[in-house]
Structures are given as C-alpha cells and as structure tokens.
Amino acid sequence: MSAVFRRICAQFAVVLVFSVGATAAAAQSVSFKVAVAEAASGHEDIAEFYSARDYAGIWVGSDTDAIARRNALFAAFDAAEKHGLPASRFDANALEELILSERSNHQLGLADVRLTRAFLDYGHAVQSGLVEPAAVDDNIKRRVNRDHDRVLLSGLLGPDPFSFIRELAPSTPEYARLLSEKARLEQVLADGGWGPTIQGSDTLRPGDTGPRVIALRDRLIAMGYMPNSVGRSYDAALQSAVVDFQESHGLLADGIAGSSTISEVNVDVDQRLKSIVVALERERWMNRDRGERHIWVNLADFSATIVDHGEVTFRTRSVIGANTSDRQSPEFSDRMDYMVINPSWYVPRSIIVGEYLPQLQADPTSASYINLIDESGNVIDRAGVDFTQFTASTFPFGMKQPPSNSNALGLVKFMFPNRYNIYLHDTPAKSLFGREVRAFSHGCIRLNDPFDFAYALLAKQTADPVDYFHSILETGQETQVNLETPLPVHLAYRTAFTHTDGELQFRRDIYGRDAKIWAALAALGVEIGAVNG
C-alpha cells in the first residue's frame, strides 16, 4: 500500500468514526476526552495544552485543521532523513497505521496524544538537535536553545502548520548548503562512489607516472576537481587539481600528493556524508541569532574570522589547544567586551603547579622572566623562598609575566571573560602558523594577524584604527580598550562546512569529537545511505 493511498484511507477512517449519530457522538466525545486526559497526564506541558482546549483533539478529527496538521506532520516525517534524522524514529507510515488501526473514540484519544508527543520529539530534534552536546564530549560547552513545549504546541495551532513545522529547522544559509551537499553526495554514493583508492602512501610528485597516478587522477575527476582526462603522468593539470583539493581540505597546498593528501583523497563518500550529518547536528545546536557582526573561530579549520551580515570580512590563521585531555580548546559562545594592549600574562594555576613549580624546585632561578607574586599582586623575591616545601595544592603564589615582545600573550589579547579562561591573543611563537596542523596551545586561541584583527575591531569606533592602536602600543603600558559594541564570539568545531559560494570544505577531526557525535547519532538510528530511485 503506497504512502499516499494509506493517508487517504487514514483520513476516511477518521471521518467515519466522527460521523456517527448525535447521541453516540456525545458519549464518544466523553470517552475521547477521558483518553486524552489519561494519556497526557504524564507530561505537564501536554496536559496543560489539552486542558486549555477542554481535551479536544488536534490531530485525528475530520475537520480541515486536523487534516492539515496530520499532513504537515507526515510530510515532515517523510523528510526526516533529509535532515540527517533517523527514519525509524520519525516514521510517518507507523503513525498512519496507528490511525487506521484505531476505531473507538477512546483509542483515537490516545492516538491524538501520541501524535502530539511524536510532533514534540520531531520538533526538538530538527530545531535543536538529537543529542545533548555535553553528553558527547566534556569540552563541548554548547548550550542548546530548545523551545519550550508550550511554544511548539502554540505554534502548531496557527493557520499554516506546514510552514510552521518546516521552519523549525535552522534557516541559516549554511544549513541549506549542507542539505544540498548531503543530497549530492548521496547521489554519488548511489552511483558507486569515487572509484578505487590509491594504493600505498608514498609521495606522488609532478612528473611521476604509473597506476597510482592514474588512481589519483581518476578520484579527483570523480570528485569534480578536474575535467575528464586520460593520462598516466602527473602533469600540470593534475598538479593544479591536487592544489584545489588540498585547499578545500585544509592541507598544505603545494601540489604534491604526500601521505596526508593521499589519505584525504582516499576517504570514501560515506565517511564524508557522516561529516555532513554531524555538521547538520551542530548547526541545530546553534539554531539561534549569532549576531549581524560576530567572531567565528573554527577550531578544526585552525582559523578565526570576523563575519558581517553573513560575509567573512576578516580571516586569519589560528593555533588552538594541543590534543591532550587538559589542553583541548572548548566549544562555547560568549561576548567579546575589550582588548588589552601590552598585556601581562597571569599564568593559569594549572600551568603554575604543573609546569613552573617543578622547574623552580629544581632551579629557583629558572623562568626568571616571570615574576612571583602574592595575593595582593606584590612581587616576591624568589631568593627567599624554599620551593621544595610546597606541593601543587599548597603553593601560595601566583606568577605574572610583565608586558614585553616576548610575553606569552604577545602584544595584544582579546577578552570575552568566561569560566574556562579562554581568550584570543598574539604570540611570539610565529613559526607555528606555518604548520598544517596547529594544535599547540594550552587552550587559548593564538592569532597569526592579531594587529590586523585589532584594526578590524577598532575600525567601528575610531577613524584611524591603526594610528590609535599603535599610539597605545608604543607606550609599553598595559591598557584596556573597551569595544563600544561588544561582539558575539563563537568557538565552533566544523569538519564539514561550506563557503558562501557553496564550495564544500572538509577538515580532519583533530580532537575526535565528530567521531563521538556520529557514534551518538548512529546509536539513535541515524544511517548513511544512497538516495532512493
């Protein structure tokens, strides 16, 4: 039985039940309401919703509004897989069978509440995600913005349930582009994928020939990085395609297919689809206004950007936290309020006792460029301190590095005060920005172009941001500069994303977080598959 025919039968079955005589209808109405009250009693918001309606149904009636709601919900369930949601959990056919199988008003009352619960489950999933971020990884500090059930139920009673349910999903251009890329790659999967992988990991260079070069060429052609061509040699056209591939995968774009490039070229389409599905889930976690102007740090891309009205107006490379349990950069959103020019570095307690205390116990003169300070900020003469008497829990001092060119924070830091003690800053260790993988810090985000970043922020509040910045810098004095308009800042983690022109990008899962998210989604029934038909 087709889905369309099944729905016609379901509509007819409901109309038949609600078309009996007046006396019987009155009795059945009482039976229906008792069933609704019984089924809704375990959920406060659902119970209040039905109580306010005198326990009248919203789904299984024969009126045009109920029919419209049913059809809207069934259509949404049919499209659930498109959003990367589990088809088994949002099964329109199962709901249709439920209506077909129920004949008494009591049974239909129970079914009405069941459809309401199914709607709320879908609404939360498509609007704000299937899984709780913090349950996947402790370093995902994202607060999911979930509409209250009352809000969802109230919207359902509006004049256009189709539009209301459809618009629960994120409306960001990125979400729409990811959906489009998901559909495209599902078709690629249905057509057989990108062909044989490249055997071995030895570097391939311009001028090389042989079957491995042919495999590299064939996969890049299948992926769309070069037009159809035939050849056994690593020619200029293949080199150009390798550069394009490297740029869209966050690799060193040198046109040489080393082990990293070959490994990424060999990633199959189903794995790329998993990355997109995870990215869709992450978009749902952030289904809120990010600010017309905001700062976007993609940890997986090792980049920091300023976004104005959806367009990237500034971009710089970044260094993120090292891939150890105590140094990974967390994911969260906050508000940048000010910058500090010529900053001091107040060494975090974890670094003091974990790194500097052992050094001082071995040699009290070590790290002489950092001052030992007491609770009041007074500098302590370390010559009078026996460091061997202290443990990590009893060490009573702080440590502070005064402003200088060699300061660990460089010459400027950008502050969005938060409980994780994370911020953006300059660094004297400039060479790290030339690395392909840039995970070296204790958790904070280092910027390759911090001065230009400062100019871009200050341009909104001063006519000559460069002169203003350097007039303060040249004093050598630690100076706080408030942003007249604080900016939202988002520390995100995207291994699959698009540019505004629609070009799909992939990055390596440096912290392994997306693998955890995929495992959580798969456990809930999400599957990767080719398109049907």
Side-chain angles (χ1 to χ4, degrees):
M1 184 186 298
S2 71
V4 173
F5 181 68
R6 186 180 292 110
R7 284 188 191 142
I8 293 173
C9 291
Q11 307 291 10
F12 178 76
V14 172
V15 170
L16 184 64
V17 170
F18 278 85
S19 299
V20 295
T23 302
Q28 290 170 347
S29 176
V30 172
S31 175
F32 181 94
K33 292 181 178 182
V34 168
V36 167
E38 172 189 313
S41 62
H43 190 298
E44 181 179 352
D45 289 337
I46 294 178
E48 289 184 4
F49 171 77
Y50 277 108
S51 175
R53 293 175 49 80
D54 193 28
Y55 299 102
I58 61 171
W59 302 101
V60 300
S62 59
D63 58 288
T64 56
D65 288 342
I67 293 171
R69 291 187 200 106
R70 285 199 301 276
N71 289 338
L73 183 62
F74 293 159
F77 274 32
D78 283 339
E81 274 190 297
K82 180 185 80 170
H83 293 276
L85 300 177
S88 58
R89 179 163 167 174
F90 303 110
D91 187 348
N93 291 339
L95 292 181
E96 293 161 4
E97 291 289 356
L98 173 68
I99 294 175
L100 281 169
S101 65
E102 310 299 4
R103 288 294 181 268
S104 71
N105 276 45
H106 182 84
Q107 291 172 325
L108 286 170
L110 297 178
D112 201 278
V113 177
R114 181 170 171 182
L115 264 67
T116 296
R117 290 178 181 273
F119 159 70
L120 291 176
D121 185 31
Y122 174 83
H124 289 308
V126 78
Q127 184 183 56
S128 48
L130 282 165
V131 301
E132 287 295 332
V136 176
D137 190 289
D138 288 341
N139 278 309
I140 306 177
K141 312 295 184 180
R142 188 71 53 203
R143 295 178 181 174
V144 173
N145 183 32
R146 298 193 188 278
D147 270 351
H148 203 283
D149 288 347
R150 292 178 184 140
V151 176
L152 292 175
L153 291 170
S154 175
L156 188 62
L157 297 180
D160 187 357
F162 276 96
S163 295
F164 174 73
I165 295 177
R166 183 178 62 248
E167 292 168 4
L168 290 175
S171 59
T172 62
E174 175 69 358
Y175 192 81
R177 291 191 293 262
L178 287 170
L179 288 178
S180 177
E181 288 301 311
K182 177 177 178 290
R184 181 180 68 84
L185 291 189
E186 285 172 338
Q187 186 61 59
V188 170
L189 186 61
D191 293 339
W194 291 317
T197 57
I198 305 162
Q199 299 303 304
S201 59
D202 290 347
T203 298
L204 292 171
R205 304 175 183 276
D208 287 349
T209 61
R212 296 180 69 238
V213 172
I214 295 173
L216 173 62
R217 180 186 296 270
D218 288 348
R219 279 187 76 85
L220 291 179
I221 290 171
M223 292 177 189
Y225 288 98
M226 62 186 302
N228 287 329
S229 61
V230 178
R232 294 176 57 84
S233 67
Y234 200 132
D235 56 17
L238 180 56
Q239 183 178 5
S240 177
V242 169
V243 168
D244 289 344
F245 177 89
Q246 289 168 331
E247 288 178 342
S248 64
H249 289 75
L251 303 168
L252 179 63
D254 58 5
I256 298 172
S259 59
S260 294
T261 297
I262 291 173
S263 176
E264 290 300 302
V265 171
N266 280 342
V267 175
D268 282 331
V269 63
D270 60 330
Q271 295 301 313
R272 297 303 189 193
L273 275 166
K274 290 177 183 178
S275 296
I276 292 175
V277 169
V278 169
L280 289 168
E281 177 75 354
R282 286 181 170 280
E283 275 290 299
R284 291 189 287 264
W285 288 350
M286 296 186 67
N287 190 9
R288 63 171 69 87
D289 182 13
R290 296 173 194 174
E292 291 186 355
R293 185 172 218 234
H294 63 267
I295 296 161
W296 182 267
V297 177
N298 184 351
L299 301 174
D301 185 41
F302 307 107
S303 68
T305 60
I306 297 176
V307 180
D308 287 284
H309 305 285
E311 298 293 330
V312 174
T313 56
F314 177 86
R315 178 185 297 275
T316 186
R317 292 185 171 198
S318 68
V319 168
I320 67 171
N323 189 18
T324 61
S325 60
D326 60 335
R327 292 191 178 188
Q328 288 188 13
S329 298
E331 302 170 45
F332 65 100
S333 295
D334 215 298
R335 188 183 73 171
M336 184 175 290
D337 297 306
Y338 63 94
M339 69 181 72
V340 178
I341 303 173
N342 297 313
S344 295
W345 180 39
Y346 292 86
V347 185
R349 177 76 182 178
S350 60
I351 299 177
I352 291 175
V353 300
E355 297 182 24
Y356 287 115
L357 178 57
Q359 293 180 32
L360 292 169
Q361 289 173 332
D363 179 7
T365 65
S366 65
S368 58
Y369 53 90
I370 299 181
N371 292 330
L372 200 66
I373 57 176
D374 63 17
E375 292 180 342
S376 300
N378 300 310
V379 177
I380 302 299
D381 183 359
R382 46 170 91 184
V385 178
D386 177 10
F387 293 101
T388 62
Q389 68 178 305
F390 300 116
T391 66
S393 61
T394 63
F395 189 65
F397 303 113
M399 299 185 77
K400 171 186 174 182
Q401 184 182 17
S404 71
N405 288 328
S406 60
N407 186 284
L409 305 183
L411 295 172
V412 60
K413 66 177 180 178
F414 305 90
M415 302 301 293
F416 40 104
N418 56 81
R419 70 181 69 179
Y420 317 112
N421 198 27
I422 297 296
Y423 44 90
L424 279 56
H425 65 86
D426 183 17
T427 176
K430 302 296 187 184
S431 64
L432 296 178
F433 293 105
R435 304 282 187 91
E436 188 174 273
V437 176
R438 299 187 290 276
F440 299 103
S441 80
H442 284 85
C444 286
I445 312 301
R446 304 174 188 172
L447 303 181
N448 188 40
D449 303 294
F451 286 12
D452 292 329
F453 187 75
Y455 306 155
L457 296 178
L458 293 172
K460 296 294 183 179
Q461 60 192 64
T462 182
D464 190 344
V466 177
D467 182 70
Y468 176 79
F469 179 86
H470 284 275
S471 68
I472 298 173
L473 182 68
E474 290 166 6
T475 68
Q477 299 299 309
E478 186 167 7
T479 305
Q480 177 174 318
V481 178
N482 294 331
L483 299 181
E484 291 180 1
T485 304
L487 283 181
V489 55
H490 307 286
L491 271 61
Y493 185 99
R494 300 293 173 86
T495 63
F497 59 96
T498 69
H499 286 324
T500 53
D501 61 3
E503 181 186 4
L504 183 61
Q505 302 274 310
F506 289 105
R507 297 295 183 265
R508 284 165 285 191
D509 188 8
I510 181 67
Y511 289 155
R513 293 178 190 170
D514 276 14
K516 294 179 182 178
I517 295 171
W518 170 254
L521 292 173
L524 293 172
V526 176
E527 297 179 339
I528 295 299
V531 295
N532 295 319

